[in-house]
Amino acid sequence: MPSRRRVLSGIQPTGAGKHLGNYLGAVRHWAAMQDDFECLFFIADLHSLTITPDPTELRAQTRKLIAELLAMGVDPSKSALFAQSHIPEHPELAWVLSCLTGFGEASRMTQFKEKGGGNVGLFNYPVLQAADILLYQSHMVPVGEDQRQHLELTRDLGQRFNSRYGDTFTVPDPYVQKSAERIKDLADPTAKMSTSKGGPGVLWVIEDDKATTKKIKSAVTDTGREVEYDVAAKPGISNLMTIHAIATATSVEQVQDDFAGKMYGDFKGAVADAVVEMFAPVRKRYAELIADPGYLDSVLREGAATARPIAAATMVDVRDRIGLLAPA
Ligand code: TRP
């Protein structure tokens, strides 16, 4: 039987938590991929160090993220869920790859340029990400559009290593999630919903139902009164229609039919109810999980037990290819 294709993705623990856009754009797809692929998901806690987080907060946010991912459908009986920092081969391979990365090449990465400098960790961020991916011989890396350049660098470094030292790495296919489900900020519907922006336009997966309802009811809407899908002329209403369609598993066209002739206020009430209902099982499960840190730790332990042998085997090969002596 041919082995299943391997999917790998990572997510940083820092930030206030996951929002509706993360859920619909990424995590829901991860959950759906678990039956068809061999999936490895990890918490990119080493990447988070580039913003030098407060240690107590980092620990809490890491536990929160594990609980969120499990509540959103990542299933440890199907997939490995682990912490990057529990697998020392990540920084080890990152060092090897950094010696194959041009200074200019790394300097051209947009994410680094946009931050306008910073620490050396931030400069090396994409190289560590390449190591994350190549270590596991992953075929597919589901990521958002903003990660495309990092995937390209990963492919370049994998190919460079393979042509210099012989075939060692699987060069992954880009699997950029074209989010037809690109969710906009409720208070600023021409901007993407984002963690860093925060504020009243961001719906957190984990928050009070009341907070969710309030934010949706206060969402910026457009002039006019028709519940009509028109992203250019009615970005606010169109965003709410997208959210409603996804939350109730229908199409935007269906939403438009259902709310023809209805007032904005009624429509917003319906969107709020739909989102609260969609998140109800996730929020319930999250509350149980976050109260059980022993279980969360055991998930990471088992995840690492699955992931580590794959990473270790790759590194045995890498060390040999580049001419490091094997430890006696
Ligand atoms: N840079 C990714 C992000 O911010 C997180 C990440 C780190 C990642 N390593 C990865 C994603 C490896 C995919 C594969 O979203």
Side-chain angles (χ1 to χ4, degrees), residues 45-61:
D45 50 0
L46 297 176
H47 278 105
S48 283
L49 296 181
T50 55
I51 61 160
T52 45
D54 172 78
T56 307
E57 257 173 48
L58 178 60
R59 254 187 297 273
Q61 287 172 328

Side-chain angles (χ1 to χ4, degrees), residues 220-238:
V220 165
T221 41
D222 316 289
T223 49
R225 37 173 49 213
E226 296 296 309
V227 178
E228 236 169 39
Y229 192 78
D230 180 343
V231 176
K234 290 172 158 274
I237 283 293
S238 301

Side-chain angles (χ1 to χ4, degrees), residues 217 221 225 227 237 262-271:
K217 288 194 168 163
T221 41
R225 37 173 49 213
V227 178
I237 283 293
K262 297 261 169 43
M263 312 274 272
Y264 280 177
D266 295 338
F267 174 56
K268 285 173 161 183
V271 176

Side-chain angles (χ1 to χ4, degrees), residues 24 28 179-184 226-232 234-261 267 271:
L24 299 176
R28 219 170 50 140
S179 11
E181 308 170 345
R182 185 152 289 170
I183 304 299
K184 306 294 185 187
E226 296 296 309
V227 178
E228 236 169 39
Y229 192 78
D230 180 343
V231 176
K234 290 172 158 274
I237 283 293
S238 301
N239 187 38
L240 290 174
M241 291 174 78
T242 302
I243 293 172
H244 191 282
I246 296 169
T248 57
T250 61
S251 63
V252 166
E253 292 75 21
Q254 186 64 50
V255 174
Q256 186 158 314
D257 283 354
D258 292 348
F259 289 90
F267 174 56
V271 176

